[in-house]
Amino acid sequence: MADKYSKSNLEYVRSIAEQKFELVKGTWTDLGRWVIPHRMRYMLNQPEGQRVNHHIVDGTHLLAHRSFVAGFLEGNTSSTRPWFRHIHPDQDVNGASENRFWLDLLTRRVLSALSSSNFYNAAGQFYYDYGAVNTGCHVIDELETRLHFHTLVPGSYYIINNALNEAEILVRKFTLNVKALVDAYGVKNKSGTYQWDNFSPNVKTLYDRSDYTEKIEVVSITMKNENFDINQPIGGKNRQWCTHTYESCGGDSANSPYRDYWGATSYDSDGIDNKFLKVSYSQRKPFIVGKSDSSDNFEYGENGPSLMAIHAIKSLNKKAISKDVAIEKMLAPTVQGPASLKKSYITTQANRFIPIDATSMAQGGLKNVYEINPAVVALTSDVQDLRQMVDKFYFADFLLFLSMNPKTRTATETQAIINEQQLVIGPNLQSLNWSYNVPIIDFVTDYIIEKDPYLPAPPEALQGEWLRVEMISTFAQAQRAADLPQINQYVDMLQRVGQLDPSVFQKANLDRLCDLYEDRLFLPAGLNRDQGDVDAMREKIQQQAQRQQMLTEALPSVAGAVKDLRQVQQ
């Protein structure tokens, strides 16, 4: 099994992943240049900090994309309100109070771990990539006291899926300067000097001559550890996932540049093929790949707002340039006239006189070279249609509904329109739930259960049981509560008819109504009592009422007996 993780085999895996990425590289480059140019420097080989948006004139799509990111941050993974909860698949087990309280406690601990990490900052970067190229990726580091999320730049990573269309191999490429590379992966001796066994001779030479700014490309490949034995204690190298990090050879490992780079002619003889900057093992999959819908086990998302809007984006940009050119020619037109005017004094300043002699007047005087028909109304209408189309592709019309519409609607009308628009976002949200939301929550939940010493043991009914994640974000509530308007209409009908005939309330199951609202609105545990407790309370109240009724019925006979007793005593 050791040979499977040699550099030569890992380089082969890398080449396969890069070949698959070539299918989307051209599309990503085109989309990224227009939507996220600041995150395309790796694919376009541009220096850091260089301005890369010179070609963008109309920024409608940039505003819509920013609204998309902000809307998904608040509507899908909100940092200000719970956006998921843990439940047991069995409703009877999940409905018990002690189980619900422990599950809610687990949810709060997971939310706290996400808040103490940089997740919500990294999630914003993920949504920028997801909205642009339909795919985003996090790498998760488990630090001593918290988690840290790295959002990888598009083009710096490649993916290989398993049979379930889930990312199982992640290949990363990144660059570090020589000093950062040695600081990150160097191991010091007791004397304080670095061991250079895991570095190439090139790095040692650069470091020794203090050429610290030279860039070195590094490759990191994460995959399942085939040496993992579930029957052995988990720890050390016996973990489910392994990551091998090494200096890039700059090409296929079978070619000479790889050998020349390391200063060896044989991998096995000098052990060069098995030297890595770092080899690490983890129990949890240390990366998350979120993507939109894809078919045929394809590794990357195939559908998204930028892909659908790219033609409208380019058309808007073209019309903005044409409009600027037309307006410029209208404000400062090029004129033509008789040659005799060349010798006369001509000025273009306002309120100035241009002398034209009779001969020039007979020849038509000064005329514009270009007869421009601005068609301002038609152009404005066309641009407005394109902008509305772009907003719809990015769901900006839904996310910015209240700010984009006059406040002349009633609250009921506004809520009905918002609920209707939220349903449109459903397909995109389902892809996120499967590939992004649930994997992140599962990762952090497993981390909390293992690391949190203050989390109490679960109730007996939950021990050894599988838990399920249920999304309760703003978007999820809109999807789940789609039938609440009909339920509210039914309740209003009951109230009106009940005033005429109170017996109609016997038809309604109010306990079921409370359960429906708890399910649709994701109410916290303890707000609704357990059905068993409710039945016991009702039985107790009924018994008390029966005893009171019996006492009331017995009072006249007791009073008569007391009266007769007094008469006998007298």
Side-chain angles (χ1 to χ4, degrees):
M1 287 297 180
D3 292 338
K4 178 178 176 61
Y5 302 112
S6 63
K7 279 197 181 74
S8 55
N9 286 337
L10 292 176
E11 280 291 293
Y12 176 73
V13 172
R14 171 189 171 183
S15 65
I16 295 298
E18 286 185 347
Q19 291 175 10
K20 196 63 174 291
F21 178 73
E22 288 295 326
L23 298 176
V24 299
K25 184 178 180 179
T27 301
W28 280 28
T29 302
D30 188 31
L31 295 174
R33 287 184 66 254
W34 287 96
V35 184
I36 50 172
H38 61 289
R39 292 182 64 79
M40 285 291 107
R41 64 179 184 273
Y42 199 94
M43 296 185 67
L44 300 177
N45 295 321
Q46 295 170 332
E48 295 180 356
Q50 186 182 42
R51 182 184 173 189
V52 291
N53 61 347
H54 294 278
H55 59 288
I56 299 177
V57 178
D58 190 290
T60 299
H61 64 286
L62 298 180
L63 296 176
H65 189 224
R66 188 173 63 182
S67 301
F68 175 88
V69 173
F72 270 76
L73 269 175
E74 183 60 28
N76 184 52
T77 52
S78 174
S79 61
T80 60
R81 68 186 73 179
W83 51 280
F84 65 89
R85 68 178 180 181
H86 296 87
I87 63 173
H88 191 277
D90 190 337
Q91 291 299 326
D92 294 334
V93 176
N94 188 63
S97 295
E98 61 175 0
N99 298 335
R100 285 290 305 279
F101 278 116
W102 188 87
L103 292 172
D104 281 3
L105 175 62
L106 176 62
T107 300
R108 291 196 299 271
R109 295 292 175 86
V110 174
L111 286 169
S112 177
L114 290 171
S115 298
S116 61
S117 70
N118 69 324
F119 168 73
Y120 293 105
N121 178 48
Q125 296 175 339
F126 167 83
Y127 288 128
Y128 270 107
D129 296 343
Y130 178 79
V133 297
N134 317 319
T135 309
C137 182
H138 288 315
V139 171
I140 309 174
D141 285 341
E142 298 184 25
L143 306 180
E144 293 183 0
T145 58
R146 60 184 176 87
L147 298 171
H148 188 81
F149 293 79
H150 302 270
T151 305
L152 303 185
V153 178
S156 67
Y157 64 92
Y158 317 118
I159 306 164
I160 297 179
N161 280 356
N162 60 13
L164 300 178
N165 201 18
E166 298 172 344
E168 194 169 73
I169 297 178
L170 174 68
V171 179
R172 295 178 57 195
K173 290 196 308 183
F174 55 95
T175 57
L176 294 174
N177 60 48
V178 172
K179 189 175 188 315
L181 182 72
V182 175
D183 290 344
Y185 299 106
V187 179
K188 289 186 176 181
N189 298 313
K190 293 182 179 180
S191 60
T193 60
Y194 282 106
Q195 298 177 9
W196 298 101
D197 295 340
N198 58 331
F199 293 102
S200 66
N202 183 41
V203 171
K204 184 179 185 304
T205 301
L206 293 171
Y207 191 85
D208 289 341
R209 69 187 188 196
S210 300
D211 195 355
Y212 296 144
T213 59
E214 186 71 21
K215 295 289 187 179
I216 304 296
E217 187 175 74
V218 180
V219 176
S220 179
I221 300 181
T222 302
M223 61 176 62
K224 278 192 172 182
N225 181 14
E226 293 192 358
N227 298 326
F228 172 70
D229 187 356
I230 195 172
N231 298 318
Q232 298 295 325
I234 297 177
K237 296 183 179 181
N238 190 41
R239 299 176 187 268
Q240 292 187 1
W241 297 86
C242 61
T243 301
H244 293 75
T245 306
Y246 57 94
E247 295 178 46
S248 174
C249 64
D252 190 353
S253 60
N255 295 329
S256 58
Y258 184 84
R259 300 175 181 178
D260 295 340
Y261 185 77
W262 279 87
T265 57
S266 174
Y267 303 126
D268 298 330
S269 61
D270 296 334
I272 296 298
D273 200 31
N274 294 317
K275 290 183 178 180
F276 297 93
L277 293 173
K278 183 179 180 181
V279 179
S280 58
Y281 299 87
S282 57
Q283 181 60 23
R284 290 166 283 275
K285 186 172 75 171
F287 64 91
I288 303 293
V289 178
K291 63 177 183 177
S292 62
D293 297 332
S294 62
S295 58
D296 297 330
N297 201 31
F298 190 61
E299 282 80 1
Y300 306 96
E302 296 180 321
N303 190 23
S306 297
L307 187 63
M308 293 185 291
I310 188 63
H311 296 92
I313 292 171
K314 293 181 178 180
S315 180
L316 272 175
N317 204 69
K318 181 179 178 181
K319 284 180 171 58
I321 296 174
S322 300
K323 180 185 66 176
D324 290 346
V325 172
I327 293 177
E328 182 68 20
K329 290 181 178 181
M330 292 171 61
L331 296 177
T334 303
V335 297
Q336 62 181 349
S340 60
L341 291 177
K342 184 177 180 180
K343 299 178 181 181
S344 63
Y345 178 73
I346 300 178
T347 178
T348 57
Q349 297 182 4
N351 299 322
R352 290 295 186 267
F353 176 72
I354 301 178
I356 301 179
D357 53 39
T359 303
S360 299
M361 286 293 297
Q363 296 176 355
L366 293 175
K367 295 184 295 184
N368 289 341
V369 175
Y370 302 103
E371 294 294 336
I372 300 175
N373 179 16
V376 176
V377 176
L379 179 61
T380 303
S381 177
D382 187 27
V383 169
Q384 187 63 26
D385 290 343
L386 287 173
R387 287 178 175 172
Q388 291 179 357
M389 187 184 304
V390 171
D391 287 341
K392 288 181 180 297
F393 283 134
Y394 284 99
F395 309 106
D397 58 332
F398 150 56
L399 298 170
L400 300 177
F401 172 76
L402 295 180
S403 62
M404 295 174 61
N405 291 270
K407 299 180 180 180
T408 57
R409 303 179 187 270
T410 64
T412 303
E413 291 174 340
T414 301
Q415 188 61 42
I417 293 175
I418 291 177
N419 289 340
E420 181 180 353
Q421 290 176 331
Q422 284 174 330
L423 296 178
V424 179
I425 212 167
N428 210 286
L429 189 62
Q430 294 303 321
S431 299
L432 273 181
N433 287 342
W434 171 75
S435 64
Y436 183 69
N437 295 336
V438 174
I440 283 179
I441 298 168
D442 287 343
F443 182 98
V444 182
T445 300
D446 190 64
Y447 171 82
I448 289 295
I449 292 176
E450 178 185 347
K451 302 289 187 179
D452 192 347
Y454 303 105
L455 182 68
E460 184 178 357
L462 296 178
Q463 293 182 5
E465 294 290 321
W466 288 98
L467 301 181
R468 186 164 62 89
V469 174
E470 187 173 47
M471 307 307 300
I472 60 173
S473 63
T474 303
F475 290 165
Q477 289 186 20
Q479 301 292 316
R480 190 65 173 270
D483 59 346
L484 281 186
Q486 290 80 9
I487 296 176
N488 293 335
Q489 185 177 1
Y490 172 74
V491 174
D492 293 340
M493 181 275 296
L494 283 178
Q495 293 177 342
R496 293 193 301 269
V497 176
Q499 296 177 358
L500 302 177
D501 184 5
S503 65
V504 73
F505 293 111
Q506 299 175 2
K507 178 67 175 177
N509 187 346
L510 299 183
D511 289 349
R512 176 59 178 162
L513 179 65
C514 294
D515 292 339
L516 281 174
Y517 266 85
E518 180 182 21
D519 178 72
R520 299 299 189 271
L521 301 180
F522 305 108
L523 299 179
L527 190 60
N528 278 352
R529 293 189 175 92
D530 294 344
Q531 191 61 42
D533 296 340
V534 174
D535 295 338
M537 292 174 57
R538 288 173 176 170
E539 185 178 357
K540 183 177 180 180
I541 293 174
Q542 186 177 5
Q543 291 176 355
Q544 292 177 350
Q546 290 177 353
R547 287 196 296 268
Q548 184 67 29
Q549 183 178 2
M550 293 175 60
L551 182 61
T552 303
E553 294 176 352
L555 280 177
S557 58
V558 172
V562 171
K563 181 179 179 181
D564 294 340
L565 179 60
R566 288 178 178 176
Q567 291 178 353
V568 170
Q569 291 176 349
Q570 292 176 357

